[in-house]
Amino acid sequence: MAEFTVSQHFEGKDPVVKSIYVRLLAETRKFGVIVEEPKKTSIHLVNKSAFAGIRTQKAALILNIKSAAPIKDKRFPKTEKVSANRYHQEVKLTSPDEVDSDLIEWLKAAHEMSN
């Protein structure tokens, strides 16, 4: 089985992508212990279960957040209902400044769901 690392996801990417990730990690770690689980195409942020997924692009980071209901915000053009009480929402981040108080609150709610 192939082993993947977090750092592999940032190879060949603009430095801003890593900056966004570092900011996300710093903010989510305020909620408690966060485990980074690097996969082939993404990095999962895990409490007891995954509450967020991250895919890197050349100059952006795609953040997928779990929630109990759709997040009604223009930043989330895509919402997917994955079960009766679970939704996945994607947001494209191009700057660490986009990790704002609203995004942090949505991540905190996702983290609490994963207990």
Side-chain angles (χ1 to χ4, degrees), residues 62-108:
I62 306 299
L63 174 65
N64 187 302
I65 301 174
K66 284 186 178 180
S67 67
I71 297 172
K72 302 291 186 192
D73 188 277
K74 66 183 180 190
R75 292 188 279 183
F76 294 97
K78 181 181 173 187
T79 296
E80 179 183 4
K81 185 174 185 176
V82 293
S83 69
N85 298 318
R86 291 285 186 270
Y87 293 81
H88 288 178
Q89 283 89 191
E90 281 189 354
V91 59
K92 183 175 186 174
L93 303 173
T94 58
S95 163
D97 294 337
E98 293 174 309
V99 182
D100 61 10
S101 60
D102 287 337
L103 193 66
I104 293 164
E105 283 302 312
W106 293 319
L107 283 164
K108 186 174 184 179

Side-chain angles (χ1 to χ4, degrees), residues 9 11 16 18 22 39 56 72-73 77 94 101 106 112:
H9 288 277
E11 292 172 1
V16 71
K18 179 73 178 216
V22 167
K39 310 291 183 186
T56 56
K72 302 291 186 192
D73 188 277
T94 58
S101 60
W106 293 319
E112 290 168 2

Side-chain angles (χ1 to χ4, degrees), residues 1-60:
M1 187 165 148
E3 291 290 321
F4 302 101
T5 65
V6 170
S7 62
Q8 287 173 320
H9 288 277
F10 298 97
E11 292 172 1
K13 307 294 192 298
D14 289 348
V16 71
V17 179
K18 179 73 178 216
S19 299
I20 299 165
Y21 181 75
V22 167
R23 175 87 188 268
L24 277 170
L25 211 53
E27 293 297 335
T28 56
R29 286 192 167 141
K30 293 176 184 176
F31 312 149
V33 176
I34 304 296
V35 176
E36 300 165 88
E37 289 186 357
K39 310 291 183 186
K40 183 177 183 177
T41 60
S42 64
I43 303 165
H44 292 175
L45 299 184
V46 178
N47 181 12
K48 291 203 165 93
S49 64
F51 65 92
I54 294 165
R55 289 183 290 121
T56 56
Q57 296 181 331
K58 176 70 176 157

